[in-house]
Amino acid sequence: MRTTDRPSLGRSYWKLWAASTISNVGDGVRFAALPLLATTLTRDPLLVAGTVFASQLPWLLFALISGALVDRLNRRIVMIAANLFRAAVITLLGIAIFADFDTLPLIYVVVFVLGIAETLFDSASFALLPALVDESDLERANGPLQASMTFNQEFIGPPIGAFLFVVFSSLPFFVDAASFAVAAIIVITIRGDFTTEHHGGALLSGLKAEIGEGLRWVWGHPVLRTIMGIAAVSNIVFFATFSVRVLFATEILGLSTTGFGFLMAADGGGGILGALSAGRISARFGRGPTLIAAILLQALSVLAFGVTSDARVAWVALAAGGVGGFLWNVVAISVAQAITPDRLLGRLNSAVNTVSWGAIPVGAALGGLLARSFGLRLPYIAGFVLLAAMVLVALRLSSYLAADRGDQG
């Protein structure tokens, strides 16, 4: 059995963690400041929501291409270039705001091109990590990265972004740009050549065939195919329930705006706990059983939230769901990284994200339709049924892992 008393993950890993942490603070700052900026230009909810749509659209349009490029190029260089590019773009937006040249079309363009760079950066970061740590340490490595992302994007960055926007509307964007620049400098100090395949000829030649190879690998591998399917269903459930959570909280739980904020914090807090404990739990019980427990915990938390009218029960349920969700994320990511050849890691990440992120608007629309037609509790009941079915799928996943010897203790 694995022990929990292990040496450090290494300087290169902690440099990656530091770069991720700093840029995640900047992300949180921007996440709060962007909608505030949009509301100074329009009060139309659809136009304000357009900033989110424009930022997520690149994951559907470019993620597969980005994954293939990441598998061709030096992944460290891709991360550096993507962060420097994002720093430059955000700086230009800050200058436009300072000069009072900001418009909604400009914001849409900015968040769209930032999204393209994000597809490259995230795929490169995902693919780089297994080169920095041992396979047996992947959960230990992914856990702090996931916890840092949640903590900084949900708890630290947004209050700072909102405060800075009130002080001076362009200031949070300059801070965000600085975070990208600092993160790029840190990644520069990571030593090594992280190129997996060297290609002659034009950069974009043969990409279609390589994207197809990546898709065939993911779909043809029972473990990866199952992980992708469960992730897509989990996203449908999460966003179906999240889309009506504010109405559930105010109309059924009777919470005020402040109370709703504390309720939301439960999800993030549970997520941090789940991410940080994933390594120990997986080492103690194995990857397959941990994944089963994570889905089961999410299913029960959705059911408990959906049937209660007590805000305290709802808070505990959301916290438990956060634990289960991030426990799943860390272990599933680690499994995928462990069983995928290094040369396909970028394409793996892009394929899984294209499917799982593509499920987000489906879930949001489904939640709204169910709540409108049958009441606010039904999205949660339906979500429980879907996740309960995924527990059965996870049982099969655990047997796949055992057969692949991916669940050794």
Side-chain angles (χ1 to χ4, degrees), residues 66-252:
S66 296
L69 288 173
V70 162
D71 286 340
R72 286 185 171 201
L73 303 171
N74 186 319
R75 290 155 177 172
R76 183 178 70 93
I77 300 301
V78 171
M79 293 174 64
I80 295 168
N83 265 355
L84 291 177
F85 176 79
R86 291 193 284 186
V89 170
I90 289 292
T91 298
L92 292 175
L93 177 61
I95 293 172
I97 298 168
F98 180 80
D100 202 23
F101 289 149
D102 51 315
T103 64
L104 275 177
L106 175 63
I107 294 174
Y108 293 156
V109 170
V110 165
V111 298
F112 182 77
V113 297
L114 286 176
I116 295 174
E118 183 180 29
T119 66
L120 286 162
F121 180 89
D122 285 3
S123 292
S125 176
F126 174 92
L128 180 68
L129 179 62
L132 303 181
V133 301
D134 292 336
E135 184 273 329
S136 61
D137 286 328
L138 283 170
E139 283 90 347
R140 288 180 64 209
N142 279 306
L145 285 170
Q146 292 283 315
S148 171
M149 178 183 68
T150 302
F151 184 72
N152 290 306
Q153 290 186 0
E154 295 188 17
F155 293 102
I156 298 299
I160 295 174
F163 172 76
L164 293 177
F165 187 84
V166 172
V167 174
F168 208 82
S169 59
S170 63
L171 190 55
F173 300 97
F174 290 126
V175 170
D176 187 30
S179 75
F180 283 131
V182 172
I185 293 171
I186 294 174
V187 175
I188 289 174
T189 67
I190 298 175
R191 300 302 178 191
D193 180 6
F194 301 98
T195 306
T196 60
E197 295 183 353
H198 297 272
H199 294 263
L203 177 62
L204 300 180
S205 64
L207 273 184
K208 182 178 179 180
E210 291 172 21
I211 291 172
E213 180 189 11
L215 292 174
R216 286 190 298 273
W217 164 258
V218 175
W219 187 253
H221 197 295
V223 171
L224 298 178
R225 184 174 65 242
T226 307
I227 285 175
M228 184 170 62
I230 293 176
V233 172
S234 297
N235 272 348
I236 288 174
V237 172
F238 179 83
F239 284 92
T241 54
F242 180 81
S243 66
V244 298
R245 186 183 295 175
V246 64
L247 296 174
F248 192 101
T250 54
E251 296 181 16
I252 294 180

Side-chain angles (χ1 to χ4, degrees), residues 14-39:
W14 288 111
K15 288 177 181 180
L16 180 66
W17 179 88
S20 176
T21 296
I22 292 171
S23 62
N24 281 330
V25 172
D27 286 339
V29 168
R30 185 177 73 259
F31 292 162
L34 260 179
L36 292 173
L37 176 64
T39 59

Side-chain angles (χ1 to χ4, degrees), residues 33-84:
L34 260 179
L36 292 173
L37 176 64
T39 59
T40 66
L41 301 172
T42 180
R43 303 300 296 182
D44 185 329
L46 183 61
L47 295 178
V48 173
T51 61
V52 178
F53 177 80
S55 68
Q56 298 305 311
L57 189 58
W59 282 100
L60 294 177
L61 299 181
F62 295 101
L64 293 176
I65 298 173
S66 296
L69 288 173
V70 162
D71 286 340
R72 286 185 171 201
L73 303 171
N74 186 319
R75 290 155 177 172
R76 183 178 70 93
I77 300 301
V78 171
M79 293 174 64
I80 295 168
N83 265 355
L84 291 177

Side-chain angles (χ1 to χ4, degrees), residues 331-342:
V331 178
I333 288 171
S334 300
V335 167
Q337 289 170 327
I339 64 179
T340 300
D342 185 58

Side-chain angles (χ1 to χ4, degrees), residues 230 233 288 291-300 384-398:
I230 293 176
V233 172
L291 290 172
I292 296 170
I295 292 294
L296 179 61
L297 185 57
Q298 291 177 73
L300 294 175
F384 166 72
V385 172
L386 285 174
L387 288 177
M390 290 303 101
V391 173
L392 299 178
V393 177
L395 288 170
R396 187 65 180 272
L397 173 62
S398 183

